Amino acid sequence: MTAKYPSVRRRVPAGLFTLSLALAIAADPAAALETADDTAAADDAAQVEGGSYGGEIIVTARRRSETAQDVPIAISVVDGEQIDNTGSFNVGRLTQLTPTLQFYSSNPRNTAVNIRGIGAPFGLTNDGIEQGVGIYVDDVYYSRVASSTFDFLDVAQIEVLRGPQGTLYGKNTTAGAINITTNQPTFDFEGKAEVSIGNLDFKQAKAAISGPLSDQLAARIAVSSTSRRGTIYNVVTDRYIQSQDNIGIRGQLLWRPADNLDITLAGDWNKQEAVCCGSVFVRTGETQRPLNRQFAALAAAQGYAFPSENPYDRLTDLDANLNAGNEIGGASLRVKWDVGPGTLTSVTAWRYWDWQPENDRDFTGLPIVTRSQNPSQQDQYTQELRYNYTGDRFDFVIGGFYYYQRIDTQGTEGHGPASSRWTINPSNPLSNDPSVLGGLTAINTQYLKNTSAALFGQLSWKITDQLTIQPGVRVNYDKKDGYYRRLVFAGDGSPVTADLTDAVSAARLAVFTPQEYAPSFSDWNFSYDLTATWKAARDLLLYATYAKTFKSGGINQNGVPNGADGDPILAAATVKPESVDHVEAGVKAEYWDRRATFNLSAFRTDIKNFQANVNNGQFGVLRGYLANAGKVRTQGVEFDFSVRPSERFRAYANGAYTDAKYERFVDAPCPPELSGGSASAPNCDISGQRLPGVSKWAFSFGAEANAESSLFGQDGQFYLGYDGSYRSDWSSNPSPSAYTWIEGYSLSNFRAGFRTESGLDIFGWVRNAFDQNYLEQLSVGPGNTGLITGLPGDPRTWGGTIKASF
């Protein structure tokens, strides 16, 4: 039987593509990397059109059409079919397919997305700094990393670009970028629908429809909904937590008044209402506190014990309200005009984010911290304008970017009747009086105004047919103005002020200290990069890149330490810019009649004034603030291999070795085993130790085999697919601790099904097939008591999916 399946004509937008996954995608032969002409590649969408299986991939990673193997950038691409087939429906799940991507989240706001071990400080999020990894959807920059916790909505493809960016894109990012491209409106009527069900009451539905409204106007609308029971059972509330409850809708209108002009208006709305977020007991470790102030003694004094000491029993007893209400939406207007010898592109966008959290900050079933919530509201406005030109010997892109963000946050933190006995030294008689700290409340008010503007450009000079030199520059201005105020009230409503000196007030001020300050930061910086490309043979490319760039400085928005006089230390209110030096070299090769691809890259990134998160050990003194480490270095080697000997089989293997460490950090926060004692050092030297959140070794691998057949009179393919991943151990604390290393683990996902030529696909799937026990994150409990809690990863899940397209 002759194969008749359409290929995917890949139109990779501004961006990000790694030969690795793009040529190695092992998900669905009807959706992997295929032929495209230059006209198709210039667009920003992926379409299913006729064509031969295999062939070259045309990308516009440098704002012009070229084959993927000619792009001197390390990029990873996952297309929409791969996302659906592997269940990678958000950024967190995408890490199983992209070894150099790290994702850590204790709740949507406190989420970090890193590449090669760098990007955002590990720990609690601080609104006063920028992300090192930019997230873009259809050319629109998403400033809040909370967006990465939502379901992908009608996605055509996702590209993960490794290394500093800025000379081609709107917002400057020093670690890389995640570029998400959605399916665009079409002038041919088409649609698709997908329904999945599984264990843990998993239900997911997706649908999209697109078509013409007139000869010049086309529309597309897509919806998505995901729900799942939580994976941790709360014995106090008799309900599961860590649930999924996502819904989203996206609509687009494309107006094409002339062949050389496209105007796209898009809008989206996404909401989460999960019962989230909590943790389970993992272990305790000895700290420098007196024994009667460590966790075992404090818990015994109140007759308390966790419901289980085995984290994989997935039991908790958190007694405070939990909520992770998360809403994100916005609108954008994109204009693409082929004018003169090039293309002018304008992207205007507005986005908002509303965050309504409730947490249990003592991590136990005792009423110590009974209320912890910091609701936040954000508005952002962006404008990008760029012009790109392609010629025989010279290509260039020049652009400008403007960004404004306003964030308002209102926090409430309150202590309960068990706090006095837990928090105050047992030798102090006040520890036996629940009213001393019971009802103690801190009201936090803060805002941030963030303005950024930039001019950027990149030139490609083809010196010969084999040698190309590509310089790029960026001039950036950033300004941040903030405000922070904390008011403290006793349980009877009376204010607790810093001038009170009685014993009761002193005990209260040791927990919550009133504070007010208005930090401000502004700075210019100049970035540049240079890439040399040598086309040694038709299927062999060598490249080398040097980049000098900066990550904007910032301000501390969650409070700063007080000095001996009781006033805020204003020197800690601002954070210096990171200075980044980056070198990279790579080889991209195809062989066996282009049925196999092997790419190799090596990199080193040195960062001065690295922005590191500092967590204070007390309940409410600080939720965490930022400081500059002396120097950080990350270096490593990455490879991407794929083979497709025929239409019946394909396989891939991608890997990364990443050596990321503090080269110099002499005043870092101490790990818990060195904290809490009266004689403990206020800071520790962790120079030479590994950065948090990054594994030295990470791999993804998989294969798919298929056989042509028929079922119920329908011609099609039976197929069997496998996707696996492995990550070695990593540190889950900003300062490496013996108590917070997460052991390495491997995950395996299988799928098997039947798909037809008419667009019907039915398959079953098993994820974490061998029910591997693993932890996604460990957290140090407050108060230096030695408590360590964690988030266990998903257990084995299974289910089925039906997809149809027309």
Side-chain angles (χ1 to χ4, degrees), residues 184-204:
Q184 300 297 295
T186 61
F187 284 94
D188 294 320
F189 184 69
E190 65 178 37
K192 62 179 182 178
E194 174 183 327
V195 175
S196 300
I197 59 172
N199 65 329
L200 304 182
D201 296 328
F202 177 76
K203 304 178 189 67
Q204 187 174 70

Side-chain angles (χ1 to χ4, degrees), residues 153-226:
L153 184 57
D154 197 24
V155 167
Q157 63 191 19
I158 299 172
E159 302 94 11
V160 179
L161 178 60
R162 286 119 63 178
Q165 297 306 303
T167 62
L168 278 174
Y169 297 92
K171 196 75 172 72
N172 192 34
T173 51
T174 54
I178 299 172
N179 193 48
I180 301 172
T181 304
T182 68
N183 292 301
Q184 300 297 295
T186 61
F187 284 94
D188 294 320
F189 184 69
E190 65 178 37
K192 62 179 182 178
E194 174 183 327
V195 175
S196 300
I197 59 172
N199 65 329
L200 304 182
D201 296 328
F202 177 76
K203 304 178 189 67
Q204 187 174 70
K206 304 177 183 178
I209 191 167
S210 179
L213 300 180
S214 70
D215 291 342
Q216 297 181 338
L217 192 65
R220 185 179 191 94
I221 189 168
V223 295
S224 175
S225 175
T226 301

Side-chain angles (χ1 to χ4, degrees), residues 359-681:
N359 303 293
D360 191 326
R361 288 273 299 150
D362 60 50
F363 302 168
T364 74
L366 289 170
I368 303 169
V369 179
T370 55
R371 196 175 186 188
S372 178
Q373 55 190 46
N374 284 272
S376 186
Q377 307 84 41
Q378 179 213 274
D379 281 284
Q380 77 166 60
Y381 303 87
T382 56
Q383 173 64 56
E384 183 171 354
L385 186 68
R386 63 178 183 265
Y387 183 78
N388 65 287
Y389 165 84
T390 301
D392 293 334
R393 286 295 177 186
F394 293 95
D395 305 329
F396 70 82
V397 175
I398 187 169
F401 179 75
Y402 175 80
Y403 165 81
Y404 176 78
Q405 175 190 48
R406 167 81 187 223
I407 302 179
D408 290 278
T409 302
Q410 312 82 35
T412 304
E413 298 177 71
H415 278 228
S419 182
S420 295
R421 199 165 187 181
W422 189 273
T423 308
I424 301 174
N425 191 321
S427 63
N428 187 334
L430 295 178
S431 65
N432 296 314
D433 184 353
S435 68
V436 174
L437 298 184
L440 182 68
T441 301
I443 306 296
N444 306 321
T445 301
Q446 57 180 285
Y447 70 76
L448 169 71
K449 298 176 183 178
N450 185 359
T451 303
S452 180
L455 294 175
F456 57 89
Q458 192 174 94
L459 172 71
S460 289
W461 177 22
K462 304 166 191 171
I463 298 175
T464 69
D465 290 341
Q466 289 77 38
L467 178 63
T468 300
I469 301 296
Q470 177 183 297
V473 296
R474 180 187 185 93
V475 179
N476 210 89
Y477 174 74
D478 292 284
K479 180 176 175 58
K480 296 179 174 70
D481 294 303
Y483 174 75
Y484 177 86
R485 185 184 68 184
R486 167 178 281 179
L487 301 177
V488 182
F489 300 92
D492 60 5
S494 61
V496 179
T497 56
D499 59 335
L500 297 176
T501 58
D502 61 281
V504 171
S505 295
R508 291 166 176 168
L509 290 170
V511 176
F512 290 135
T513 303
Q515 193 172 87
E516 183 174 11
Y517 65 100
S520 180
F521 172 88
S522 64
D523 192 27
W524 289 86
N525 58 58
F526 177 71
S527 302
Y528 56 90
D529 55 46
L530 179 66
T531 299
T533 305
W534 176 256
K535 188 76 171 178
R538 188 190 73 153
D539 296 329
L540 179 63
L541 178 79
L542 296 88
Y543 68 92
T545 297
Y546 170 74
K548 174 67 174 179
T549 186
F550 296 85
K551 180 180 174 184
S552 169
I555 57 179
N556 270 304
Q557 282 293 104
N558 295 333
V560 295
N562 284 332
D565 59 1
D567 293 330
I569 301 176
L570 296 181
T574 58
V575 185
K576 297 177 183 178
E578 293 182 351
S579 176
V580 181
D581 285 277
H582 174 81
V583 292
E584 185 162 344
V587 178
K588 296 185 174 185
E590 289 182 292
Y591 51 96
W592 194 13
D593 247 357
R594 295 188 171 179
R595 288 190 291 250
T597 301
F598 181 78
N599 300 317
L600 184 70
S601 61
F603 68 91
R604 175 172 173 138
T605 304
D606 290 281
I607 306 176
K608 295 180 181 178
N609 291 321
F610 180 76
Q611 295 168 356
N613 196 64
V614 177
N615 291 317
N616 188 282
Q618 298 304 311
F619 281 115
V621 176
L622 295 169
R623 299 188 68 241
Y625 66 100
L626 292 168
N628 291 105
K631 188 176 181 181
V632 157
R633 185 262 292 146
T634 178
Q635 61 186 6
V637 178
E638 302 160 345
F639 77 88
D640 308 300
F641 170 76
S642 66
V643 61
R644 50 183 195 280
S646 73
E647 295 185 16
R648 305 278 75 82
F649 180 79
R650 63 182 60 206
Y652 71 92
N654 308 316
Y657 168 78
T658 307
D659 178 18
K661 70 178 183 180
Y662 298 103
E663 285 211 327
R664 186 173 184 273
F665 196 5
V666 299
D667 55 353
C670 292
E673 57 265 40
L674 299 178
S675 301
S678 57
S680 297

